[in-house]
Amino acid sequence: MKRRQFLGLAAALPVVTTFGGWTLFNHAVSAPRFDNTLFLPGSDGPFAVLAPDAPFTLVAEQGWLPVPGRSETPFLWYRTQVNGADYQNPILLLRTGDELDVTLDNQLDEGTIIHWHGLHVPGREDGHPIHTVDPGDQYEYRFKVTNRGGTYWYHTHAHHRTARQAHQGLASFLLVGDDDNDALNEALDLELGSTDLPLVLQDKRFDRLGHLVYQPNPMQGMMGYLGDEVLVNMTPSARHEVERRIHRLRLLNGSTARIYRLALRADGDAVPFRVIGTDGGLLGSPREVKEAFLSPGERLEVLVDFAAFAGGDRVELHSLEFDPMAGGGMMGRGGMGRGMGGGMGRMMGGAMHDGDPLALLEFVVREGEAVTARVPERLSRIEPIDITDARERDIRLDMAPMQWRINGEVYDPDRVPIEVDANTKEVWVIRNADHSMPHPMHIHGFSFQVLLRSGGPDFVREQAVNDDGLTVADLGWKDTVLLWPGETVRIAIDFTHDYDGDQLYVFHCHNLEHEDNDMMVNVRVRA
Ligand code: C2O
Ligand code: CU
Ligand code: CU
């Protein structure tokens, strides 16, 4: 670890000192300890894998989740019982072509609805916020999974309550399998739950009882609510033992607002990794990188080869320091530097602000024979969307006082600012204002391909992996794309579907505080 990073980390970790009999909490001097075993799901209980083969019910309710190394916290989850086993927030495992028949039973004391993030489904099945169900009510979903294999997820989309409910627990993975995924897992002898690991990154805050806290002040509502520690699979300061072989990591940024600049470090040196998939499944071929940004809602699948390490070696997953570019919109010209972001972070009451260096997870390599394997050169086939007849549409992201906007709009359930025709293709030219902050933009119901990324800050341009300025997280099939201040991103969307009638979806910022503060618009796909 470089000295600067170490100091950054140290500054972010609280220690308790006593002073004249008073206990003071300050934020100095302590290295990451990685003293909690990474939570991995068992065969039942929290986040266990459930491959449903019959209709089932997900009960949204409040429970108590044990946090590794901590006490239990009140937690919102989706509970179900299948074949006598209890599941909370099950990792749903499906295959392309499967039917999902599930009923949401709202046992919360407020409205909620489930959205299937990344899935191509009719508007009625999508979990649009207008479908939010009252306490005691139910919503039945029934649809066919037509997406490619990949790492998707499901989470609450309650109108104006998404951020809090997601922060308090209502989210989990939805993994879709297909032949390409089978081929890869066979070639590398990977197994879900041991060498193929779903890992959700979430920053959280806890109070002194160890209970999750979600209390954004107006400034945090505007900028995003940042936690003061990052949990992986709800494990703070997580450590995980690995074999000397290739592992597949399915990384999901399930934070409400925090962006990660992911990198691996061993003894302070960068450890390259291969990106094999993004939001909508496998890439055409693997891409080796040393780092990648991951914004809220996005997924990144990577292969890490621990065969070259010796037993006892440690490989750490970090989020490297970066300029969060936050605060420009609030402060006007010239206010976009790191210093302003830092000042903003402190004003927001955070021990850590966006862009702070963070240690997320430590892999400890086990003793034993190294298993070497050849990563296949071809993973899948990605057909570029044919945009010859595509209509071009401009989307501007900017802000009015204390309000982020999309094309000057704030969310109004009765307005439909974007109307497209079914079975057509469109190119959306999304521009983020210069004086703005990063916005991870997400569309429901359809996947897209990123065509071009331009105009961004140097540290983003430096990450380009091709002549079109794309970063590694832009490759393949996407449903969420990050826009830095000043950037223009062109995406191609294929609105082909075979559903009856008009379909209503949303396009919104996946900074969930922004979403709840109405940085969202309806999208109608006209029959
Ligand atoms: Cu995961 Cu509308 O979002
Ligand atoms: Cu979504
Ligand atoms: Cu945003």
Side-chain angles (χ1 to χ4, degrees):
M1 196 184 311
K2 287 200 205 75
R3 178 167 170 79
R4 199 160 76 101
Q5 282 163 13
F6 174 78
L7 291 174
L9 277 173
L13 292 163
V15 295
V16 182
T17 54
T18 51
F19 177 76
W22 293 85
T23 300
L24 303 177
F25 289 86
N26 58 36
H27 297 275
V29 222
S30 164
R33 287 165 306 161
F34 301 116
D35 45 6
N36 296 313
T37 303
L38 174 73
F39 176 82
L40 288 180
S43 54
D44 59 7
F47 301 96
V49 175
L50 171 61
D53 53 6
F56 66 108
T57 297
L58 289 171
V59 181
E61 63 173 27
Q62 198 229 285
W64 289 83
L65 184 80
V67 176
R70 304 280 175 85
S71 48
E72 290 192 323
T73 177
F75 200 70
L76 304 183
W77 60 35
Y78 302 110
R79 180 179 53 80
T80 190
Q81 225 185 31
V82 175
N83 299 329
D86 273 308
Y87 299 81
Q88 295 92 28
N89 276 354
I91 294 177
L92 298 177
L93 182 61
L94 295 146
R95 243 190 121 73
T96 308
D98 281 356
E99 281 260 325
L100 187 64
D101 188 333
V102 57
T103 301
L104 165 68
D105 179 3
N106 182 8
Q107 294 300 323
L108 303 173
D109 54 13
E110 59 183 21
T112 199
I113 192 71
I114 299 175
H115 164 61
W116 316 98
H117 182 126
L119 293 198
H120 175 57
V121 295
R124 192 215 160 270
E125 313 297 333
D126 174 64
H128 188 292
I130 53 168
H131 294 134
T132 300
V133 292
D134 288 333
D137 284 356
Q138 304 194 325
Y139 197 92
E140 199 194 328
Y141 299 87
R142 187 167 183 168
F143 59 84
K144 192 172 168 157
V145 177
T146 59
N147 287 69
R148 314 167 74 224
T151 302
Y152 303 92
W153 61 307
Y154 64 104
H155 61 79
T156 172
H157 224 290
H159 190 43
H160 287 159
R161 298 192 175 109
T162 296
R164 182 165 45 79
Q165 289 186 359
H167 187 274
Q168 302 296 106
L170 288 180
S172 188
F173 286 96
L174 190 157
L175 307 179
V176 176
D178 64 2
D179 293 347
D180 289 339
N181 276 271
D182 287 354
L184 177 67
N185 281 6
E186 256 161 57
L188 299 176
D189 186 27
L190 298 171
E191 200 194 329
L192 184 62
S194 59
T195 47
D196 174 359
L197 296 173
L199 298 174
V200 55
L201 312 178
Q202 293 167 309
D203 59 338
K204 304 279 188 196
R205 283 170 191 253
F206 294 87
D207 66 15
R208 287 159 56 162
L209 296 172
H211 297 174
L212 278 174
V213 175
Y214 186 79
Q215 280 166 351
N217 60 34
M219 183 68 79
Q220 291 163 331
M222 177 70 198
M223 307 300 290
Y225 184 74
L226 299 175
D228 52 14
E229 56 185 326
V230 180
L231 284 68
V232 182
N233 291 355
M234 285 307 291
T235 311
S237 200
R239 181 197 47 205
H240 180 62
E241 285 191 8
V242 289
E243 309 285 341
R244 299 180 61 206
R245 66 187 318 286
I246 282 186
H247 286 64
R248 176 179 185 171
L249 311 180
R250 301 171 183 256
L251 298 159
L252 158 65
N253 184 347
S255 312
T256 65
R258 185 178 288 279
I259 296 166
Y260 302 94
R261 181 180 170 191
L262 299 173
L264 292 167
R265 291 284 182 267
D267 257 338
D269 294 330
V271 178
F273 51 93
R274 292 186 187 83
V275 173
I276 54 164
T278 53
D279 299 347
L282 294 174
L283 303 180
S285 48
R287 199 54 96 120
E288 189 173 277
V289 293
K290 288 191 177 142
E291 56 175 85
F293 280 105
L294 193 66
S295 69
E298 286 187 298
R299 286 85 72 207
L300 201 68
E301 295 205 37
V302 306
L303 295 178
V304 184
D305 195 349
F306 296 105
F309 293 93
D313 281 356
R314 280 140 212 278
V315 180
E316 295 169 0
L317 177 65
H318 284 258
S319 181
L320 305 180
E321 185 171 28
F322 63 92
D323 179 352
M325 300 192 79
M330 301 293 300
M331 295 300 168
R333 282 194 169 276
M336 297 190 29
R338 170 86 193 153
M340 185 56 71
M344 190 65 68
R346 276 182 288 278
M347 268 165 64
M348 291 161 66
M352 302 189 310
H353 43 86
D354 218 4
D356 271 351
L358 302 163
L360 306 176
L361 169 64
E362 180 186 68
F363 295 102
V364 182
V365 181
R366 280 198 194 125
E367 304 288 342
E369 198 78 4
V371 180
T372 50
R374 235 193 141 72
V375 176
E377 250 321 293
R378 294 236 54 90
L379 301 171
S380 73
R381 174 183 284 275
I382 308 246
E383 295 289 351
I385 295 176
D386 178 2
I387 52 167
T388 21
D389 299 317
R391 154 174 186 175
E392 203 168 292
R393 189 183 292 272
D394 283 315
I395 311 265
R396 293 179 332 272
L397 313 177
D398 69 359
M399 75 170 297
M402 292 305 277
Q403 180 65 62
W404 300 108
R405 306 184 303 186
I406 300 171
N407 278 355
E409 301 268 348
V410 297
Y411 188 66
D412 176 345
D414 298 324
R415 282 183 54 73
V416 185
I418 299 180
E419 295 205 70
V420 307
D421 292 321
N423 309 315
T424 63
K425 284 141 186 131
E426 296 209 351
V427 170
W428 289 13
V429 184
I430 313 173
R431 287 172 224 273
N432 193 0
D434 290 341
H435 303 290
S436 183
M437 64 178 284
H439 297 292
M441 301 305 297
H442 168 59
I443 187 165
H444 285 204
F446 299 87
S447 303
F448 55 81
Q449 292 172 354
V450 183
L451 304 174
L452 190 72
R453 174 184 289 279
S454 62
D458 288 347
F459 66 91
V460 175
R461 284 210 298 255
E462 281 159 14
Q463 298 221 347
V465 295
N466 66 17
D467 293 343
D468 300 320
L470 271 57
T471 67
V472 74
D474 294 329
L475 302 176
W477 282 98
K478 295 287 294 172
D479 54 58
T480 307
V481 65
L482 178 58
L483 277 105
W484 295 88
E487 268 191 321
T488 299
V489 169
R490 293 173 70 90
I491 63 174
I493 317 179
D494 183 351
F495 287 102
T496 301
H497 71 75
D498 56 8
Y499 316 140
D500 288 335
D502 290 357
Q503 307 293 323
L504 191 69
Y505 303 94
V506 280
F507 174 64
H508 65 85
C509 181
H510 219 288
N511 175 315
L512 295 182
E513 282 77 29
H514 292 187
E515 177 193 322
D516 278 348
N517 285 296
D518 296 323
M519 192 180 183
M520 176 159 77
V521 288
N522 279 322
V523 177
R524 179 178 291 133
V525 181
R526 281 185 305 230

